[in-house]
Amino acid sequence: MRLLHTSDWHLGRAFHRVNMLGAQAGFIGHLVETVRAHGVDAVVVSGDVYDRAVPPLAAVELFDDALHRLADLGVPTVMISGNHDSARRLGVGAGLIDRAGIHLRTDPAGCGTPVVLADAHGEVAFYGLPYLEPALVRTEFGVEKAGHEAVLAAAMDRVRADLATRARGTRSVVLAHAFVTGGEQSDSERDITVGGVAAVPSGVFDGVDYVALGHLHGCQTLTERVRYSGSPLPYSFSEHRHRKSMWLVDLDADGSVTAERVDCPVPRDLARLRGTLEELLADPGLTPHEEAWVEATLTDPVRPADPMARLTDRFPHTLSLLFDPERAPDDPAVSYARRLAGRSDQQIAEDFVTHVRGAGPDDHEQTVLRDAFDAVRADETLREVAR
């Protein structure tokens, strides 16, 4: 069975205020053509269909168009909700849409109930694990501690239990939206840390033939059977080295996997440039980036006059302008933002406690801070879903 694995469409998202709906529509057209040209038997979409819980109307219309075009192909599609989606909204009408061959899996309670498709070699069971927010699903899965590994392990126990009841030789595919250990992050993914931990080990998914992951925006192979497709379009300058693509996966009769990448059309290259303003304006080596979307970081010791206007004379698609004067790390003028770069909310809060009272938080206080951050994030998720 030939699968096309994609994820993280983020319909409705802009790129530094650039409307991406046209590029997203272009991707949907590319997806449909890839299915047709490569003889795809099933499409899997591993979450973050939309960029937010209440997407703009234009994004909903684009999704509706995608559903119609996929249904018209007669090729089954299995989709799950991600951490950016409202699972309840995305799942509205799932029962009816199911009849058209579009299988939306957004309810955590259905993790152990697969979509079953067949080819000449027998059945393939597709298990959809939507994004499992630990604080919201711990009761459903009966776990004592609300953490990503615990709830995903409980969901996979249901998958393996169902798979054990099926005919010998039944192949299996799991769709999941999670941060799995070994994956490389970018700046455009929303933090899903709970209890100080965001990642889960890939061993959680043992026992199935292929795991189609979503959440991280770079296309990645964690093992031959566990892969991220990444987002089809760039959504932050941290993705400037990404090769945007989908996975074309062949699942053989014995469950063995072979996969190749199918490139996605990207509307414009990304470039991260760094130097003084005069260096960026004069360097002939930067000519290939003149039509790219540009993030420029100026290192001038004193902020130059009209830097954006001067930059856009040469790089008309400059979208982001940053200032990072080159100074010694102990220089008091080093920016606060630079000193906080790469530090988590928990670390910043602990540093503040240390600064105020001269000693860092003890184990109990660290737990209190961690629980507070988790509670705020869970509350934000609940309020977003309820909107």
Side-chain angles (χ1 to χ4, degrees):
M1 183 173 286
R2 174 162 284 187
L3 317 176
L4 186 64
H5 168 199
T6 178
S7 71
D8 295 274
W9 295 357
H10 288 278
L11 300 182
R13 186 167 186 158
F15 180 76
H16 287 268
R17 300 177 305 281
V18 174
N19 189 314
M20 295 290 277
L21 275 170
Q24 290 168 342
F27 161 69
I28 297 299
H30 172 70
L31 171 72
V32 170
E33 183 53 37
T34 300
V35 171
R36 184 183 294 113
H38 290 272
V40 170
D41 298 305
V43 177
V44 295
V45 186
S46 298
D48 281 354
V49 173
Y50 292 123
D51 187 56
R52 55 182 185 265
V54 186
L57 179 58
V60 177
E61 290 173 339
L62 181 54
F63 180 56
D64 181 64
D65 177 63
L67 293 184
H68 278 85
R69 295 173 73 178
L70 289 168
D72 287 345
L73 290 173
V75 176
T77 300
V78 184
M79 296 183 169
I80 61 172
S81 49
N83 61 302
H84 279 250
D85 299 308
S86 165
R88 292 175 64 185
R89 282 189 173 85
L90 187 63
V92 169
L96 186 62
I97 296 171
D98 196 82
R99 300 178 193 176
I102 307 292
H103 308 283
L104 292 170
R105 293 295 181 263
T106 63
D107 184 357
C111 286
T113 304
V115 175
V116 180
L117 306 177
D119 63 8
H121 305 290
E123 293 185 336
V124 180
F126 291 78
Y127 297 90
L129 279 56
Y131 172 66
L132 302 175
E133 173 62 47
L136 305 184
V137 302
R138 61 179 297 183
T139 301
E140 167 63 35
F141 290 105
V143 297
E144 293 183 8
K145 187 176 180 181
H148 288 292
E149 184 173 355
V151 296
L152 269 171
M156 283 302 301
D157 285 344
R158 294 188 185 184
V159 168
R160 285 184 283 263
D162 179 84
L163 194 55
T165 69
R166 300 193 173 272
R168 185 181 179 128
T170 298
R171 290 157 291 164
S172 53
V173 175
V174 165
L175 290 73
H177 196 87
F179 180 15
V180 178
T181 303
E184 183 178 339
Q185 294 177 276
S186 63
D187 293 342
S188 50
E189 297 118 7
R190 183 181 293 173
D191 179 38
I192 59 171
T193 301
V194 173
V197 178
V200 300
S202 60
V204 165
F205 300 104
D206 285 352
V208 297
D209 293 311
Y210 184 70
V211 181
L213 293 174
H215 179 58
L216 300 185
H217 288 184
C219 183
Q220 302 170 61
T221 300
L222 303 187
T223 73
E224 287 305 304
R225 297 185 182 274
V226 182
R227 299 171 187 264
Y228 281 100
S229 66
S231 62
L233 293 165
Y235 292 113
S236 73
F237 277 102
S238 65
E239 301 171 50
H240 69 293
R241 290 194 176 94
H242 286 187
R243 173 186 161 196
K244 296 301 183 181
S245 58
M246 301 176 284
W247 283 113
L248 195 62
V249 179
D250 285 317
L251 189 61
D252 292 342
D254 62 356
S256 60
V257 170
T258 56
E260 64 175 290
R261 293 173 71 173
V262 178
D263 290 334
C264 294
V266 176
R268 197 176 292 279
D269 290 338
L270 306 185
R272 274 184 150 171
L273 309 182
R274 181 183 179 88
T276 66
L277 180 59
E278 294 304 325
E279 288 170 346
L280 298 187
L281 294 178
D283 186 351
L286 301 181
T287 299
H289 303 308
E290 289 179 351
E291 293 304 315
W293 279 326
V294 168
E295 176 189 79
T297 299
L298 299 185
T299 60
D300 301 76
V302 177
R303 186 172 301 209
D306 299 322
M308 181 60 92
R310 295 170 66 190
L311 273 172
T312 53
D313 281 342
R314 182 179 186 188
F315 306 102
H317 305 288
T318 301
L319 300 181
S320 176
L321 180 59
L322 306 174
F323 295 92
D324 187 20
E326 292 186 344
R327 297 187 174 104
D330 58 352
D331 189 319
V334 172
S335 73
Y336 183 65
R338 185 173 173 180
R339 282 183 276 134
L340 296 185
R343 302 187 66 74
S344 68
D345 290 342
Q346 176 88 14
Q347 291 170 322
I348 293 169
E350 291 177 7
D351 288 349
F352 177 75
V353 172
T354 303
H355 173 74
V356 168
R357 73 180 185 194
D362 59 27
D363 290 346
H364 172 69
E365 290 168 332
Q366 288 177 346
T367 300
V368 169
L369 285 170
R370 188 176 300 117
D371 290 346
F373 282 120
D374 288 350
V376 168
R377 201 176 56 77
D379 181 63
E380 288 176 345
T381 301
L382 280 170
R383 281 187 289 153
E384 191 168 65
V385 169
R387 285 174 61 190

